[in-house]
Amino acid sequence: MAQAIKKQALGRGLSALLKDPENDIKSVLDKNADKVVGNIVELEIDAIEINPFQPRSNFNEESLQELATSIKELGVIQPITVRKTDFNKYQLISGERRLRASKLAGLNVVPAYIRIANDNESLTMALVENIQRHDLDPIEIALSYQRLIDEIQLTQEQMSERVGKKRSTIANYLRLLKLDPIIQTGIRDGFISMGHGRAIINIENQDIQTSIYQKIVSQNLSVRETEALVKNYQHSLKPKSTSKAKTNSFAIPAEANKVITDYFGAKVEVKIAGNGKGKISIPFHSEEDFNRIIKLIKG
């Protein structure tokens, strides 16, 4: 919690810096630009305009309202990204859905990453350096990876080389961003681990995700127990066969078995398989007995 308060205070401090006419940062070379690049800044929503060249025309109102409700409870988990166009004026690059939902939630400010002129390499360096820190939670790391993809257009292979991590490791972090926002917050606040998150992500239904998350927290489940819970849920979704396998097998009446035994004068064994096929075994004790049975068969 202390970490979140510290970040929030930092965001407000940077916001004040950007609204100071004497510190109007226009380039990465300007004074205090290093404090902005790679950091989260709280911006007034009214200072942000939608990019007219990349409008997203269709927004599901119900989905937006659900996101607005989530933002009221948890805040904006993933900051938007804007481009600085003038003094205290910004243009949206990514996150229009989050921006619209923030307005519905009644927010006046929204956390944002600010892109300024010629900051590409500086931003890359700042993000890579940020990822190397040891006090980051898994969601913060995932968001940094996502920014390198969205804003710098790095591939996972290129990121692997830059940050010294395996490509599979990067992919595992990025998958966490598909979790329900409540679960992402749970990871950030330390209620569950990244291992728990990786197990839950195998379930697509976010309502089921949150249900399992609540069980993990309330019952203090381990990662292994969570994996078993997810596996059992997935197994329950598989269609169950209701029809029994057809069989052609049948039972030999005791009377029929007695008739065969009496006829050959020996204890005859009859076996039947599930497909209805079978065999009759007639024992004999000598060559003489064998010849006797042959004569009976010949009639």
Side-chain angles (χ1 to χ4, degrees):
M1 184 65 71
Q3 187 181 19
I5 294 173
K6 181 180 178 182
K7 286 179 183 176
Q8 196 173 32
L10 176 64
R12 286 197 294 265
L14 292 175
S15 179
L17 174 68
L18 288 166
K19 287 192 286 187
D20 183 353
E22 295 183 3
N23 286 285
D24 187 16
I25 301 169
K26 297 179 179 179
S27 165
V28 71
L29 301 176
D30 291 346
K31 180 182 177 182
N32 293 323
D34 59 321
K35 296 179 181 179
V36 174
V37 174
N39 286 313
I40 300 173
V41 182
E42 285 193 352
L43 295 181
E44 294 176 352
I45 289 180
D46 291 341
I48 304 168
E49 67 169 0
I50 304 298
N51 188 337
F53 301 106
Q54 292 181 326
R56 179 179 173 181
S57 56
N58 296 320
F59 287 91
N60 184 290
E61 291 300 324
E62 182 179 352
S63 177
L64 270 181
Q65 193 59 58
E66 288 176 357
L67 181 57
T69 301
S70 173
I71 287 173
K72 284 181 181 179
E73 295 178 1
L74 307 170
V76 181
I77 295 176
Q78 184 176 354
I80 65 172
T81 300
V82 298
R83 178 186 295 108
K84 192 172 188 298
T85 57
D86 204 344
F87 176 67
N88 202 33
K89 288 185 179 180
Y90 307 89
Q91 188 179 82
L92 187 70
I93 293 177
S94 65
E96 185 172 353
R97 186 167 173 271
R98 275 164 279 154
L99 182 63
R100 288 175 180 266
S102 296
K103 290 179 180 178
L104 282 176
L107 301 188
N108 296 318
V109 296
V110 64
Y113 296 116
I114 299 177
R115 296 299 306 269
I116 55 180
N118 66 340
D119 72 346
N120 203 62
E121 188 58 32
S122 296
L123 178 59
T124 305
M125 292 173 62
L127 288 174
V128 170
E129 183 179 349
N130 192 48
I131 291 170
Q132 304 293 359
R133 286 166 46 197
H134 295 292
D135 60 342
L136 292 182
D137 63 66
I139 299 300
E140 288 175 310
I141 295 173
L143 290 173
S144 294
Y145 284 142
Q146 192 63 52
R147 287 195 70 194
L148 286 168
I149 291 174
D150 293 342
E151 300 178 43
I152 314 298
Q153 281 78 53
L154 288 185
T155 64
Q156 289 189 21
E157 192 65 40
Q158 290 170 328
M159 277 196 289
S160 176
E161 295 174 1
R162 289 288 187 103
V163 303
K165 300 286 185 181
K166 292 181 180 179
R167 185 175 176 179
S168 58
T169 299
I170 293 171
N172 284 332
Y173 275 104
L174 289 170
R175 291 183 71 217
L176 296 177
L177 299 180
K178 296 180 180 179
L179 289 167
D180 185 276
I182 291 176
I183 302 173
Q184 290 187 42
T185 301
I187 293 175
R188 299 193 77 160
D189 292 341
F191 289 110
I192 63 172
S193 69
M194 179 178 175
H196 289 103
R198 287 180 60 185
I200 299 172
I201 199 63
N202 291 314
I203 294 176
E204 293 183 5
N205 187 309
Q206 290 197 335
D207 289 335
I208 302 298
Q209 283 186 7
T210 53
S211 175
I212 289 178
Y213 166 70
Q214 290 166 359
K215 284 185 179 180
I216 295 170
V217 175
S218 63
Q219 299 177 24
N220 195 27
L221 299 182
S222 67
V223 172
R224 184 165 294 183
E225 288 171 329
T226 302
E227 290 172 343
L229 191 62
V230 170
K231 187 176 181 180
N232 289 337
Y233 169 74
Q234 292 174 324
H235 182 72
S236 70
L237 298 180
K238 294 181 179 179
K240 295 179 176 61
S241 177
T242 55
S243 60
K244 294 183 179 179
K246 291 184 178 180
T247 176
N248 293 317
S249 182
F250 59 94
I252 298 293
E255 184 181 348
N257 197 69
K258 183 177 183 302
V259 169
I260 298 173
T261 298
D262 291 345
Y263 180 77
F264 289 106
K267 191 174 182 179
V268 177
E269 183 181 7
V270 181
K271 289 184 178 179
I272 302 176
N275 58 5
K277 296 180 180 180
K279 65 179 180 178
I280 299 175
S281 298
I282 306 172
F284 56 90
H285 306 291
S286 64
E287 183 179 358
E288 182 181 353
D289 195 22
F290 174 76
N291 291 329
R292 179 185 66 82
I293 293 172
I294 294 300
K295 286 180 180 179
L296 285 173
I297 293 174
K298 287 182 177 180

